[in-house]
Amino acid sequence: MSTTTLARSLEGAPGRRERRLSPETDVRIPEQSQPQRHPAPGPPRARRPQGGTGDMDGAAPGCGPAAALASALSHLHRRSSTTYKVLGAEVGVDPSYISRAVSGERIPSWPVTRKLALALETDPEEILPLWRAARGYNLAGTTDVQAALRGLRTAAAHPDVQTLAARTHLAADQITHALSGPGLPDWETTRAIVSALHGQHELIRPLWNAARAAALSPRAAASSTCTISAGAFG
């Protein structure tokens, strides 16, 4: 190394040392891109509102109470030949909401279900047991057994009495009486009809037990007692 080159190197050394030690020196470390994770979507989760006044999404499986409600609404819709748009306007909801309720993608609130039943020209009392069962509520004391059986019949696309007689091996008049009353059918008859309509005995039995207990209560017995005086018979 020549004398001139050595002198220049020594002159620049303090500057290089100061730049190395300076806090303003901006040393950037290249960021490594993090891989993005995309977890597989899980099944839809049902929303169960308190009191049963809201909606439940993704709650209707292929079989069971929720599917029975959807089947009943679907049958009533096909029978009415009414469009979703007309039903939505009458019930006061969007047509897509009606479509999801009929297909079983959504369990509507009871006020909406009741309006929908009326718009489809059916008794809401027949749909109420299906709705309560779909929500997981106990049926006891909520309606009469005959209405629950008629609701199951609607969910099964309303088979005629002769078809039910063949399925249950019951007489036609027994089935008619069980569906329309008056009076409470015995449990064996009720169970046979529930089976023929693809219903669930464990859901109907509490309702039947409550109806039987009400029929055997002292108040019910007193109301059925003859009030005509003995003198009226001479």
Side-chain angles (χ1 to χ4, degrees):
M1 178 181 297
S2 65
T3 305
T4 304
T5 303
L6 179 60
R8 289 177 180 176
S9 176
L10 293 175
E11 290 177 358
R16 290 196 299 271
R17 183 172 180 276
E18 289 178 1
R19 285 196 297 271
R20 261 196 325 268
L21 299 179
S22 174
E24 297 180 0
T25 303
D26 187 11
V27 180
R28 296 182 178 273
I29 301 175
E31 297 181 357
Q32 296 181 355
S33 59
Q34 298 293 331
Q36 295 183 356
R37 293 183 298 174
H38 299 283
R45 298 180 62 186
R47 299 196 309 271
R48 186 178 298 279
Q50 295 182 354
T53 58
D55 303 317
M56 290 175 65
D57 288 337
C63 60
L69 173 63
S71 179
L73 296 177
S74 178
H75 169 72
L76 293 172
H77 174 250
R78 292 194 305 271
R79 186 186 68 178
S80 70
S81 300
T82 308
T83 64
Y84 291 146
K85 183 177 181 180
V86 172
L87 286 175
E90 190 165 351
V91 176
V93 296
D94 192 86
S96 62
Y97 186 104
I98 300 293
S99 174
R100 295 183 66 190
V102 170
S103 66
E105 296 179 26
R106 164 167 289 188
I107 301 177
S109 65
W110 173 242
V112 171
T113 305
R114 184 179 183 277
K115 290 180 181 179
L116 184 56
L118 292 173
L120 294 172
E121 300 181 353
T122 195
D123 184 2
E125 288 300 312
E126 299 178 7
I127 303 301
L128 177 59
L130 298 175
W131 182 86
R132 289 189 64 86
R135 291 292 182 122
Y137 300 149
N138 195 320
L139 301 186
T142 59
T143 186
D144 59 77
V145 174
Q146 284 85 355
L149 293 178
R150 291 194 299 271
L152 288 176
R153 188 185 186 189
T154 300
H158 208 275
D160 57 38
V161 172
Q162 296 303 324
T163 300
L164 290 177
R167 292 178 183 176
T168 59
H169 304 292
L170 297 172
D173 58 345
Q174 285 181 279
I175 295 174
T176 301
H177 181 272
L179 292 172
S180 304
L184 179 68
D186 61 78
W187 173 244
E188 291 305 318
T189 299
T190 303
R191 179 185 177 90
I193 295 175
V194 171
S195 295
L197 295 173
H198 312 295
Q200 294 179 300
H201 308 132
E202 62 272 19
L203 297 178
I204 301 298
R205 187 61 190 260
L207 177 60
W208 186 90
N209 288 340
R212 184 174 183 272
L216 296 177
S217 66
R219 178 179 297 181
S223 64
S224 62
T225 303
C226 180
T227 59
I228 302 175
S229 64
F233 295 96

